[in-house]
Amino acid sequence: MPQPPQGPSPIPLTWPRCAEDASPESTFGCPGIRVPGHTACLAHLADPDRDAYLAGLTPGADIDHRGTPFTEPLFDALLNALRDPATGHPHLGDAKFGLATFEGRVGFESAIFEGDASFESATFKSVAVFGPATFKGVVSFQLAIFEGAARFELAIFEDGTRFDSVTFEGSARFQSATFKGGAGFQSATFKGGAEFRSATFERGAWFQSVTFEGFAGFGSVTFKGAAGFGSAIFERDALFVSATFEKAVTVGPLVCAGRVLMSGATFGSPVTLSFAAQRLECRRTRWSSTAEVRLRYATVDFAHAVFEYPLTIAAEPDPFVLADGQQLAEASLVSAFSPGVRLASLRGVDAAHLVLADVDLSGCLFVGTVHLDQLRLEGACTFDTVPPVVHWRRWPPVRFTERRTLAEEHHWRASQPGAVRGWNVAVLGAGRAGPLQLAPVYRALRKAFEDGKHEPGAADFYYGEMEMRRHAGDIPRSERSLLTAYWALSGYSMRASRALAWLGAAMLLTIVMLMAVGLPTDTPKQTATGTVPADGGRVTFEIDKDDPKNPTGNRFTGERFEKALNITLNSVVFRSSGQDLTTSGTYIEMISRLTEPVLLALAVLAVRNRIKR
């Protein structure tokens, strides 16, 4: 992989300098290089000598005007002397303008630089236009200052290009520019907007430690070689919409106080993104190789993205550490946002290759996600929860047992008539997703939790699935009634307290009913009757038992309570007590032996579902 160019170095004043202002009172004098055969630079040359020098220039000639101060007329005169009569465009060989100062507009429109072009430490005080120029040699703008707009639209750089430590005080436009060699913008500062839309970087592109104080646009840019944005700072939005990354890419760690927009981008090789940003939008992106996205502070939107290989989205717990061991400065984000990472949407995504680690999913939209059951959740991935406490401002009062819920369920419940306070209606993009659409989402997430051996989490999503099935409009009334009973009795075998409460109520009712009408007044006595033959021999007895008599008088005594309790406890474990009962008591015991073991089983199953691993 090609290596980034080394950092900038100041230009030493090694050339023979102009004699203008070279008096003892002048510390430096004019830094312009002398015109060959003269003691002054082009700016301070006498008019006849300047005219003679310009007349001697031919298209394609090498020029050296380092340190020369150019006015706009002087610059135009130089460029006119180098124009090709056949095309009317400036044609230069090697061009050296290091430390030069351009006072007026600089126009290299359609210029051709056959050799190397050096503008190191040059100062452009007005608009500088270099597009659509063609640079066939190495180009260097290191330490240059553009006080006005810098325009490089459609420029072609056929060899290496260096903009290291350049300061763009106005807007910088590189739309549709082509960089055929390596392009270095390390430590550059873009104080105005930076626009690289539709530019092509055929080899490496390095933006390490770059500061974008205004809007940064990389829409539809093609990175055919390595791309690096380590330690870059975006103080406003960064746009990478429809960009294409064909080689291995490491973007970051960087800070963006605004949004990083990468929607429509294509990543053809392994990529690592490390951002501390307010928001990262990756809608309709295509990831054709493995990728890792490590984030801080960001809200992430991956709606309709395509993952062909495993992709990991992870929250970075601590500030990013740079290559020099220093922590990445996050001052622009610390005061306004929490360092956690929030996922906004996975709609339209095939989640079979997706891994989420320590991500907040409380506001994530899942409806429309494919293969959600194969989603891998690592670390502390959190979901939204139901509204807390008991809601007394309606009848009957409502209390929700804490469980994980989806953002779409919040939105749906908040939109229902009579909804209690606490459901979040402001779920951006939730649309009209209802129980029919949410049931399969809960089912898929339940399986994902089960595959991850997280049974309590799976239990919450099973509860959500059953809730959505109960409220769905496409099920028969009989099935809804059955599900409602299942919910009321045990919370779909997920609420042990509810099942135990019903069990306790059923046992209490059984005891009361047995004491009232189930236990006879007295225990029936057995009677043996028979006839003794006169001449002796075998005697036959018939043993009979009196029918239990319905109770009368005081029925609620301690003795009767003890008997009723014994019968009830045996019924809970599906055993017969052997007690004599009235006809009503027999039916009461039968019903008790049928219902109470079921309620006990539901309670046991609910406990198991909450503690199973």
Side-chain angles (χ1 to χ4, degrees), residues 544-606:
D544 197 7
K545 189 175 183 180
D546 295 337
D547 291 332
K549 296 181 179 180
N550 290 327
T552 57
N554 186 8
R555 307 178 186 187
F556 298 96
T557 64
E559 180 183 358
R560 291 175 65 81
F561 172 77
E562 184 177 351
K563 289 182 180 181
L565 179 61
N566 182 51
I567 294 170
T568 302
L569 291 176
N570 279 282
S571 297
V572 171
V573 294
F574 205 73
R575 291 178 56 189
S576 176
S577 65
Q579 291 278 353
D580 293 310
L581 301 172
T582 65
T583 302
S584 299
T586 301
Y587 284 108
I588 292 172
E589 184 185 35
M590 291 171 58
I591 296 173
S592 174
R593 291 180 63 189
L594 176 65
T595 57
E596 291 169 8
V598 172
L599 292 172
L600 178 62
L602 290 174
V604 172
L605 185 59

Side-chain angles (χ1 to χ4, degrees), residues 33-258:
I33 190 172
R34 296 177 181 180
V35 174
H38 301 277
T39 60
C41 67
L42 185 62
H44 296 113
L45 203 61
D47 291 344
D49 294 332
R50 182 187 305 114
D51 294 339
Y53 168 76
L54 294 176
L57 294 178
T58 58
D62 296 336
I63 56 175
D64 185 355
H65 293 290
R66 287 172 288 178
T68 302
F70 281 93
T71 61
E72 187 171 341
L74 177 61
F75 172 78
D76 290 341
L78 174 64
L79 218 58
N80 290 332
L82 296 169
R83 292 186 183 277
D84 187 339
T87 63
H89 300 155
H91 194 178
L92 298 82
D94 287 339
K96 297 180 180 180
F97 289 95
L99 275 175
T101 301
F102 299 89
E103 295 289 343
R105 181 183 184 276
V106 175
F108 281 99
E109 296 98 327
S110 302
I112 298 176
F113 294 81
E114 293 287 350
D116 297 340
S118 173
F119 291 86
E120 297 178 357
S121 299
T123 299
F124 300 86
K125 294 184 175 295
S126 186
V127 177
V129 182
F130 288 87
T134 300
F135 299 87
K136 296 186 177 182
V138 176
V139 181
S140 178
F141 283 86
Q142 292 183 88
L143 293 167
I145 299 175
F146 291 85
E147 296 183 4
R151 300 179 58 182
F152 290 85
E153 298 101 323
L154 296 171
I156 299 176
F157 302 89
E158 298 187 357
D159 208 329
T161 307
R162 299 181 65 179
F163 284 87
D164 304 328
S165 298
V166 171
T167 299
F168 296 92
E169 296 185 359
S171 61
R173 301 180 182 179
F174 290 85
Q175 292 102 313
S176 302
T178 301
F179 298 85
K180 296 184 177 181
F185 288 83
Q186 298 177 97
S187 301
T189 300
F190 294 85
K191 295 186 177 181
E195 183 61 79
F196 288 83
R197 185 176 64 250
S198 300
T200 301
F201 295 88
E202 297 189 359
R203 298 187 66 186
W206 294 277
F207 290 84
Q208 283 90 340
S209 301
V210 172
T211 299
F212 296 92
E213 296 183 6
F215 174 81
F218 290 85
S220 301
V221 170
T222 300
F223 296 92
K224 295 185 177 181
F229 286 81
S231 305
I233 297 176
F234 295 83
E235 296 187 2
R236 295 183 61 187
D237 292 349
L239 178 68
F240 288 84
V241 174
S242 300
T244 300
F245 298 84
E246 297 185 0
K247 297 293 183 181
V249 180
T250 300
V251 182
L254 59 82
V255 174
C256 180

Side-chain angles (χ1 to χ4, degrees), residues 336-501:
F337 307 97
S338 64
V341 176
R342 298 155 295 278
L343 194 57
S345 178
L346 286 176
R347 286 191 169 180
V349 169
D350 186 339
H353 296 295
L354 183 59
V355 180
L356 303 178
D358 302 315
V359 177
D360 182 357
L361 300 172
S362 59
C364 185
L365 304 180
F366 286 100
V367 173
T369 306
V370 182
H371 292 147
L372 196 55
D373 57 320
Q374 299 179 40
L375 174 67
R376 285 184 55 191
L377 300 173
E378 305 288 347
C381 290
T382 58
F383 289 81
D384 210 341
T385 58
V386 297
V389 306
V390 179
H391 300 269
W392 297 99
R393 295 186 177 181
R394 53 167 291 171
W395 185 259
V398 176
R399 176 183 178 273
F400 295 98
T401 305
E402 185 175 356
R403 65 178 173 92
R404 298 171 178 85
T405 57
L406 300 180
E408 287 104 334
E409 181 181 350
H410 266 263
H411 180 77
W412 171 74
R413 287 191 181 273
S415 63
Q416 299 304 299
V420 300
R421 298 178 62 182
W423 294 109
N424 182 16
V425 69
V427 179
L428 185 63
R432 297 184 178 181
L436 195 61
Q437 294 78 27
L438 288 172
V441 176
Y442 274 112
R443 187 180 307 118
L445 285 173
R446 171 177 62 84
K447 187 176 184 303
F449 271 81
E450 289 174 344
D451 292 343
K453 306 302 180 184
H454 192 332
E455 294 296 336
D460 283 348
F461 287 104
Y462 173 74
Y463 192 101
E465 175 192 353
M466 298 300 289
E467 276 287 271
M468 295 303 101
R469 285 181 57 192
R470 183 166 70 92
H471 289 287
D474 66 333
I475 64 172
R477 182 177 299 177
S478 57
E479 182 178 344
R480 179 177 288 107
S481 300
L482 183 62
L483 290 174
T484 301
Y486 192 22
W487 162 76
L489 291 175
S490 65
Y492 312 112
S493 296
M494 293 295 157
R495 302 292 181 260
S497 59
R498 192 178 305 178
L500 289 174

